[in-house]
Amino acid sequence: MKLNNHSLSFRWINCQCFEFKLPNGKTIITDPCYDYPENPEDRIADIFRLRGFHTEDLEACDYVILNHTHSDHMVNLEDVIRRFQPIVICHSGVAAQIAEVYGDILPLTSIYAVDYNGRYEFDGFVLHTYHGMHKPQRMMWDGCMSKADGISQQEKLKRLHTLGSLFNMNFIIDLDNGFRMAFVGGLDDGMAHILEDKRPNIAFRNKLTNGMDVDVVSDDWVSFMTEAHAQIVVPMHFEVWENMDPGFSEKTFIEANRKAEEKGLTARVAPVKRTEWYEITLSMQSR
Ligand SMILES: [Fe+2]
């Protein structure tokens, strides 16, 4: 006898952009950012890019969820809206600005504004929201509003990009089948307590350092594996490592898993490859 029950399919596309396929067939895309125009004046923009991936390569999108609205989290939102007309779930602090920027393509009722510590019901999942914090940056309001950011190079996204430093939303999603996933986009900000209580099956987490020392970075992952109380940890936003030193992240995650095993942790980091699909299935079979 062998029984398979599909829990979740997903692929990491770039930055914090994922495509999630739920058991009921609905699809969620997070933080859409992959390819965008060259910017000869800002080479930093290059380290976030996934060349050659286009909106046509996405398979479906019923919902977009935004962790925050810096350009490396929403530069391709317009393309996704045009192609799929999704519901855009975002913090209420940025909802009006999203309505204004995409006013000609996004119906107001397709914007689903949420607040922190909320519980929201959708087709196929329940969303729980939590306050998130961006890692510290030297960005000030005036400087940020004075010109378009180097990634989008679009004047109209300036205010959303600025608000991205103010509103940051972590979340937990409960699927209809009981499978639980956590999405942690920034500093701990109390998430350790929430994760200890909620114990997700899988936790997606932004890398917190741009450092390139295998020992230091693998320690950082081991500490998150300890606090995540998840079976699987999926790193995100590590395209910077992939673009600057291909192979560094894989080495680091293998080392993190070695340390985790040594410490007796049950969690493991999944060294995911960009655009590759992964499937999580609960299976049962006779021995
Ligand atoms: Fe950011």
Side-chain angles (χ1 to χ4, degrees), residues 122-260:
F122 297 96
D123 186 2
F125 67 102
V126 176
L127 175 74
H128 304 270
T129 56
Y130 303 95
H131 193 283
M133 273 194 81
H134 205 283
K135 63 182 173 188
Q137 291 179 318
R138 295 294 303 157
M139 289 156 74
M140 309 282 176
W141 182 270
D142 286 351
C144 221
M145 288 293 286
S146 65
K147 57 176 186 0
D149 68 274
I151 292 175
S152 79
Q153 304 166 64
Q154 293 182 48
E155 282 288 315
K156 70 172 186 179
L157 293 183
K158 196 162 77 169
R159 195 176 181 90
L160 271 182
H161 181 71
T162 306
L163 291 172
S165 301
L166 281 183
F167 297 99
N168 190 303
M169 183 178 76
N170 295 324
F171 53 88
I172 285 178
I173 284 178
D174 287 335
L175 302 181
D176 284 350
N177 61 2
F179 191 83
R180 176 169 282 177
M181 48 186 272
F183 194 97
V184 183
L187 298 182
D188 173 71
D189 195 24
M191 278 311 282
H193 295 293
I194 290 155
L195 294 169
E196 185 178 10
D197 180 42
K198 298 285 184 185
R199 298 183 183 251
N201 299 96
I202 188 165
F204 297 81
R205 187 247 198 176
N206 186 354
K207 57 133 189 46
L208 287 187
T209 165
N210 285 336
M212 300 285 268
D213 181 305
V214 172
D215 197 42
V216 173
V217 179
S218 61
D219 277 348
D220 173 51
W221 284 99
V222 170
S223 76
F224 183 73
M225 286 150 89
T226 309
E227 70 182 41
H229 293 90
Q231 290 155 292
I232 299 172
V233 165
V234 178
M236 50 189 189
H237 221 336
F238 62 98
E239 71 293 330
V240 177
W241 293 332
E242 296 293 88
N243 291 342
M244 288 168 60
D245 183 6
F248 168 78
S249 51
E250 192 167 359
K251 239 184 297 172
T252 304
F253 300 141
I254 288 170
E255 177 62 3
N257 281 337
R258 191 196 61 75
K259 287 177 179 172

Side-chain angles (χ1 to χ4, degrees), residues 54-75:
H54 306 291
T55 306
E56 303 81 68
D57 301 319
L58 294 169
E59 294 187 10
C61 179
D62 297 290
Y63 302 96
V64 169
I65 305 179
L66 298 177
N67 165 254
H68 69 288
T69 56
H70 281 158
S71 276
D72 57 326
H73 296 256
M74 44 84 71
V75 67

Side-chain angles (χ1 to χ4, degrees), residues 254-275:
I254 288 170
E255 177 62 3
N257 281 337
R258 191 196 61 75
K259 287 177 179 172
E261 195 173 346
E262 200 174 82
K263 284 184 74 173
L265 294 178
T266 50
R268 293 291 180 269
V269 173
V272 291
K273 301 261 181 278
R274 280 189 287 189
T275 74

Side-chain angles (χ1 to χ4, degrees), residues 72-90:
D72 57 326
H73 296 256
M74 44 84 71
V75 67
N76 296 110
L77 178 58
E78 179 169 338
D79 311 316
V80 173
I81 293 171
R82 284 188 191 281
R83 178 161 177 219
F84 298 108
Q85 292 85 49
I87 299 289
V88 176
I89 302 168
C90 60

